[in-house]
Amino acid sequence: MSEFLSKEKRITAKVIFHILVAITGIISIFLHILYSPAPFVSMTKFTIHANLFIVLTFSVSTATILLKRTEGKLLDFCKNASLIYIAVGFLTYHFLLSSGGTYSGPRIITNFTLHYLIPVLVLFNWMFFEEKKSYRYKYVIYWLGFPVLYCAVSLIRGLFDGFYPYFFLNPHGNIPAGVGNYANVTLFIIGFAFVFSIFGFLLIITNKAILTFKNKGKLLKDQSYQ
């Protein structure tokens, strides 16, 4: 997009897009919980947490740009994390959880925006508005922090109240209610950690590839003027 818009217009478009994502996200989250037959259950879902993470990240990014300050490493880290979290959330819901329940009223729309629209918008933002940078592979471990913390908190809370947000975190009962024991829960968590890691590695590799391509293009362009 930077090839078609001036720097000023690109920044303006980025701000407008960030605001659109943040507003869409916060309204969808609010309505999804408000109209839920079990609001507490909805509040515990990873999709809600991932979308809140996105709303916060994009809101801070918008404020940073409007204040004419440079977006630092933390915002870069959070934007890449947002893409990983929402992508895994989308895949988990679409292929593992979507057949497990039905929605009615406003939640038909909010379910679509939270699970499908927001992931597409976050991907679009990364593709067209975010500067591609080279990240060390250790970032994959850092990006795992939030999902691992989510699982840990869910399991600890379940010890006290017996509630687990997803069947694969429930060590009691059999599928579809639970997975039977903590060994199976651990296997599921390891599996999800592997998926998160794969997305992290792919993101880093893609960033590096795009940077290499751009640098080669710039070098060829500079040589043509010599």
Side-chain angles (χ1 to χ4, degrees):
M1 183 167 286
S2 58
E3 299 177 355
F4 303 100
L5 298 175
S6 64
K7 181 178 180 180
E8 292 75 15
K9 290 183 178 180
R10 183 168 59 86
I11 292 175
T12 300
K14 181 177 179 177
V15 168
I16 293 173
F17 191 79
H18 276 33
I19 293 173
L20 171 65
V21 173
I23 291 177
T24 302
I26 197 63
I27 291 176
S28 298
I29 291 169
F30 176 75
L31 292 178
H32 199 72
I33 295 174
L34 179 66
Y35 286 94
S36 172
F40 173 76
V41 174
S42 293
M43 290 172 63
T44 64
K45 298 299 184 179
F46 183 80
T47 297
I48 295 295
H49 291 256
N51 276 279
L52 279 172
F53 188 92
I54 291 168
V55 168
L56 179 60
T57 298
F58 278 60
S59 297
V60 172
S61 177
T62 299
T64 301
I65 296 172
L66 291 177
L67 291 172
K68 299 186 183 303
R69 296 178 180 176
T70 302
E71 295 184 272
K73 292 182 178 180
L74 181 58
L75 266 176
D76 288 334
F77 174 87
C78 289
K79 286 183 178 179
N80 283 277
S82 295
L83 179 57
I84 295 170
Y85 300 157
I86 203 66
V88 176
F90 155 74
L91 291 174
T92 303
Y93 174 78
H94 186 75
F95 292 106
L96 194 62
L97 302 171
S98 60
S99 61
T102 58
Y103 296 90
S104 60
R107 298 189 86 223
I108 296 175
I109 299 175
T110 58
N111 178 63
F112 171 78
T113 57
L114 293 173
H115 289 107
Y116 294 99
L117 179 60
I118 296 295
V120 171
L121 294 178
V122 173
L123 176 61
F124 183 91
N125 175 75
W126 177 82
M127 291 173 60
F128 296 104
F129 290 117
E130 300 304 326
E131 180 182 353
K132 307 303 179 290
K133 297 179 180 179
S134 179
Y135 295 94
R136 296 180 179 179
Y137 289 107
K138 66 180 182 180
Y139 270 72
V140 172
I141 299 176
Y142 300 155
W143 284 324
L144 281 175
F146 178 66
V148 170
L149 178 63
Y150 173 84
C151 290
V153 171
S154 298
L155 289 173
I156 293 172
R157 186 188 60 239
L159 290 174
F160 293 95
D161 61 15
F163 171 78
Y164 299 90
Y166 298 103
F167 77 91
F168 47 78
L169 291 177
N170 184 0
H172 312 292
N174 298 314
I175 293 176
V179 291
N181 53 60
Y182 281 100
N184 289 335
V185 170
T186 301
L187 289 175
F188 268 99
I189 292 176
I190 291 174
F192 277 105
F194 178 75
V195 174
F196 277 105
S197 299
I198 291 297
F199 272 85
F201 279 115
L202 287 175
L203 189 58
I204 291 173
I205 292 170
T206 304
N207 270 287
K208 290 180 181 293
I210 293 174
L211 278 174
T212 300
F213 178 79
K214 285 186 175 181
N215 290 335
K216 286 184 177 180
K218 183 178 180 181
L219 180 62
L220 291 174
K221 185 177 180 181
D222 291 341
Q223 291 175 345
S224 67
Y225 285 110
Q226 294 179 357

